Every structure is written in C-alpha cells, then in structure tokens.
Amino acid sequence: MDKPMIRIHDLATDKVIDREMTDEEFEAFEAEQAKEAERKAEAEAKAAEKQALLDRLGITEREARLLLS
Amino acid sequence: MAKQTFSVGQVLTAAQMTSLQETAMGGGAASAKTASYTLVAADAGTTISMTSTSATTITVNTGLFAAGDTVFIQNLGSANCTITAGTATVNTASSLALAQHESGTLYFTSAGASTFYKSAGAVASSGGITLLSTTTLSGSSTTISSISQSYKNLYGIVYGLSYGTSNNEFVMLPNNDASSAFFNGVGASASSTVAAFGVNAQSIWLTGNPTNSLRTSTENAWTFEIQNYTAGSLIPKTFNVNGKFRDSGNTFEARQFSQGGIIGVGAITSLVFKTLSGYTLNSGTVLLYGVN
C-alpha cells in the first residue's frame, strides 16, 4: 500500500520536497490516527448522550443554555 | 564586467581595464531588472540589481556557469526577491529571500551546483519584518523547516485552506513535537455552532472542533504569532491565533481566537501544518515572517 505523501519546504535551500512517509513516520501517523479516532468516538458518544437528554426533556440546546444562564 | 575569454596577443582597451578594475574592487555597473529573471551565462561576474514593488525571483539553471563563477545579486525594490533553484542546486546557510537593500553572492561549485552567501547585516535589529517563506500546503502534512533563528518572533498568515475526507481540526505543531510539547491558554468562538479553538492540547489548533465548518471554503484564513520562538524549552514562549472559518450551517464566518503559552518545546526550527486525522491538504498558503 502506498504511504501518505508529505511536503517539506526547507527554508535553508528554498527547496520543496514531496515524498511518501518513511516507515517510521507512517508508524507515528497510524498511532496518531488511532488516538484521534478514539477521541472522535468519545466526542460523538458525548454529543449523542447530550442530544438524548435534550430529547427526553423536550427542549432545544439553545433553550437548555437559556435555562442555565 | 561580465566574465571574458581572452586570447593570446589580445590588446585590452582602457575601458575594459577600467571595467575589470571596478569588478575586482567589488563594484561596477549593475544589470538592472524590474521583473523576475532567469540567469544567463553572460551574467557570470556581474551584478544583478532587482528593482520591483512586487515579489520577484532570480532563477538559477544548470549548464550555464563554470566552477568558480560568481554572480552578485542585490535587491533595491520594496518587495522580496528570492533566489530560486531552477534546474541547478542552490545551497545556503541562511535564507534565499532578499528583502529591500539586502544582497548576496551566488558562487558556483560546478555547472549544476551553487551556494548563495547572503551578505551580513541584513537582519534589522528592531522594528523589522521579513517574509521568510511562501509555502503551498499539500500532502497529509506540510512542514516548513530550517526556520532562521535570526529574529525575535514569528508571524504567519494561513489562507485558502481546504482539505479532504471529512471535518477535522487543522493544527500547527512546532518542531513536530507531539510528545513533550504542550500548549495551554484560552480560546473563544463567535459562532454558536463552530467550537472555540482548541487549547490545552499537544498542538496549536487553528480550528476548533469543526463539526459544522465548511472545510472546502477557500475563504478560511488565520493569522498567528509565536513570540520568543528561539528560546530554549525552559523559557516560556507564547502564541496568538486569530481567524475565521466558514460555517456551513449558518453561512457566516465563525471568528475564533486563542492565546496561550508553549511548554516543553526548544527553539522552534520547524512548523508542521496538518489535520489531526492526517487528511490530505488540497489547497492553502502559509506566509511566514520573521519579526524583530
């Protein structure tokens, strides 16, 4: 499988290099993606929980904010 | 005087001798340019003098010069003039961009390789701002590396960003250090649907959680500052980010800002721009300035 491309602009030479990630970079990239997917899932679960609560109360988010202000 | 090829028995004129003397003393007439220019073989040994109010380039191609040839380049214009490697290699220990009244010597080590020696004294000790680079965003990340350490602060403008796949945080990571670096501060958003810039994270977020953001809008734009960027990791650096992100739900611009401190990062020599999920950056430009 092709690895993702990255761009490096080296200001010492003003050269722009487009290349595939190295194995080491790709490993770090995959680890970051796994961490990000976990963070996103947590955020989505929290949003769903919040929406379920609003639905049970029968009010909108804006009305909930008004209540708490 | 341009580099000459003399023949046996040739008689030199007084004008040629005067010109040669001027060149030997580092002076002589300059070849004036008012727009971007590509060097030609006859430029060997001469001075190229750029005068333009718009950004220009001096392009260096291979096969035109011999080892030992030099070209002196000066910028008298108000906009930057950048020495650009065309088909030849151009090495330098500093920046290839010449601000107004800066200069340098291009020295060829072979027909296809040269080194640019920027003249000293070019960096203003106070009150100056210099465009260091113009970088087009591309790939799953774009890194600006070898950032000059000759300034006090960095100032940047990011505009025209669009990226693929799905909405995600667009971030900036000094020195690509996501393990020891930490950025904390405060952030806010003027939009009810686009969240504030992220703070207390391991990268500087240019967008908050962009659930409702229009990631393909080329109207998205930010400015950022990093103060004291050459300081070691134990000395505090601070950052400011201001910007807007088109809100797809409400078709207005979500204005956002964040300010904070940078902890655990040594002297900043590179900046990485990416989304947290590594989505492909389809367009966008970063202008990076050094400020004294």
Side-chain angles (χ1 to χ4, degrees), chain A residues 10-61:
Chain A
D10 186 342
L11 301 194
T13 59
D14 205 28
K15 282 273 187 193
V16 175
I17 296 166
D18 291 317
R19 62 163 173 82
E20 273 190 3
M21 287 180 180
T22 62
D23 289 343
E24 196 180 48
E25 287 166 344
F26 188 55
E27 200 176 305
F29 176 78
E30 287 194 309
E32 271 178 38
Q33 284 207 311
K35 201 170 153 188
E36 175 60 9
E38 199 178 309
R39 189 185 66 83
K40 265 186 170 175
E42 273 175 27
E44 279 167 17
K46 196 175 166 187
E49 201 179 339
K50 189 174 160 186
Q51 190 55 52
L53 181 61
L54 289 172
D55 290 346
R56 271 214 314 276
L57 295 171
I59 58 173
T60 65
E61 189 177 346

Side-chain angles (χ1 to χ4, degrees), chain B residues 90-163:
Chain B
V90 181
N91 300 304
T92 189
S94 56
S95 167
L96 292 171
L98 296 175
Q100 187 175 33
H101 301 140
E102 290 187 340
S103 63
T105 302
L106 196 59
Y107 179 90
F108 286 83
T109 51
S110 71
S114 61
T115 302
F116 184 66
Y117 297 100
K118 196 170 180 176
S119 304
V123 177
S125 58
S126 65
I129 180 164
T130 303
L131 177 64
L132 302 179
S133 61
T134 302
T135 304
T136 303
L137 296 170
S138 180
S140 61
S141 69
T142 295
T143 302
I144 300 175
S145 67
S146 305
I147 295 172
S148 168
Q149 301 293 290
S150 302
Y151 300 90
K152 293 184 176 73
N153 305 322
L154 291 177
Y155 176 79
I157 301 171
V158 186
Y159 65 91
L161 169 73
S162 73
Y163 57 88

Side-chain angles (χ1 to χ4, degrees), chain B residues 30 34 105 115 118 142 174 186 189 216 252 257 278:
Chain B
T34 56
T105 302
T115 302
K118 196 170 180 176
T142 295
V186 293
S189 169
T216 54
F252 65 79
F257 82 91

Side-chain angles (χ1 to χ4, degrees), chain A residues 4-9 16-21 25 29 32, chain B residues 135-144 170-171 173 176 271-282:
Chain A
M5 296 292 290
I6 60 171
R7 169 166 288 188
I8 299 167
H9 185 176
V16 175
I17 296 166
D18 291 317
R19 62 163 173 82
E20 273 190 3
M21 287 180 180
E25 287 166 344
F29 176 78
E32 271 178 38
Chain B
T135 304
T136 303
L137 296 170
S138 180
S140 61
S141 69
T142 295
T143 302
I144 300 175
F170 177 63
V171 304
L173 186 54
N176 200 26
L271 292 172
V272 178
F273 294 86
K274 62 181 182 179
T275 66
L276 285 179
S277 290
Y279 296 146
T280 302
L281 306 173
N282 295 322

Side-chain angles (χ1 to χ4, degrees), chain B:
Chain B
M1 184 181 197
K3 188 175 123 180
Q4 305 289 304
T5 302
F6 296 106
S7 55
V8 176
Q10 181 180 339
V11 176
L12 293 178
T13 65
Q16 283 174 321
M17 285 304 294
T18 301
S19 183
L20 281 169
Q21 181 182 244
E22 283 176 344
T23 305
M25 292 169 73
S31 173
K33 307 294 174 195
T34 56
S36 291
Y37 176 69
T38 300
L39 293 177
V40 298
D43 292 323
T46 68
T47 295
I48 303 294
S49 180
M50 181 62 75
T51 305
S52 173
T53 53
S54 304
T56 54
T57 57
I58 301 284
T59 302
V60 188
N61 287 333
T62 190
L64 299 170
F65 301 95
D69 282 353
T70 60
V71 182
F72 185 74
I73 298 167
Q74 62 182 17
N75 182 23
L76 302 180
S78 56
N80 271 14
C81 174
T82 304
I83 317 306
T84 306
T87 54
T89 302
V90 181
N91 300 304
T92 189
S94 56
S95 167
L96 292 171
L98 296 175
Q100 187 175 33
H101 301 140
E102 290 187 340
S103 63
T105 302
L106 196 59
Y107 179 90
F108 286 83
T109 51
S110 71
S114 61
T115 302
F116 184 66
Y117 297 100
K118 196 170 180 176
S119 304
V123 177
S125 58
S126 65
I129 180 164
T130 303
L131 177 64
L132 302 179
S133 61
T134 302
T135 304
T136 303
L137 296 170
S138 180
S140 61
S141 69
T142 295
T143 302
I144 300 175
S145 67
S146 305
I147 295 172
S148 168
Q149 301 293 290
S150 302
Y151 300 90
K152 293 184 176 73
N153 305 322
L154 291 177
Y155 176 79
I157 301 171
V158 186
Y159 65 91
L161 169 73
S162 73
Y163 57 88
T165 311
S166 66
N167 288 331
N168 199 214
E169 287 80 357
F170 177 63
V171 304
M172 176 170 71
L173 186 54
N175 293 352
N176 200 26
D177 184 354
S179 54
S180 58
F182 197 73
F183 307 89
N184 66 348
V186 293
S189 169
S191 166
S192 60
T193 52
V194 177
F197 286 173
V199 290
N200 303 324
Q202 290 195 298
S203 51
I204 297 173
W205 292 15
L206 299 183
T207 62
N209 182 5
T211 307
N212 209 26
S213 299
L214 195 55
R215 64 186 161 78
T216 54
S217 172
T218 51
E219 293 177 32
N220 302 325
W222 301 268
T223 62
F224 64 85
E225 293 168 18
I226 301 176
Q227 289 93 12
N228 208 20
Y229 74 102
T230 61
S233 60
L234 297 177
I235 302 170
K237 304 175 190 65
T238 54
F239 69 89
N240 299 316
V241 179
N242 291 284
K244 62 173 188 173
F245 208 103
R246 175 68 76 174
D247 182 326
S248 60
N250 293 303
T251 63
F252 65 79
E253 292 156 355
R255 290 175 175 80
Q256 305 166 304
F257 82 91
S258 69
Q259 297 177 319
I262 300 174
I263 300 163
V265 180
I268 294 171
T269 57
S270 70
L271 292 172
V272 178
F273 294 86
K274 62 181 182 179
T275 66
L276 285 179
S277 290
Y279 296 146
T280 302
L281 306 173
N282 295 322
S283 68
T285 302
V286 181
L287 302 176
L288 186 66
Y289 298 84
V291 182
N292 269 327

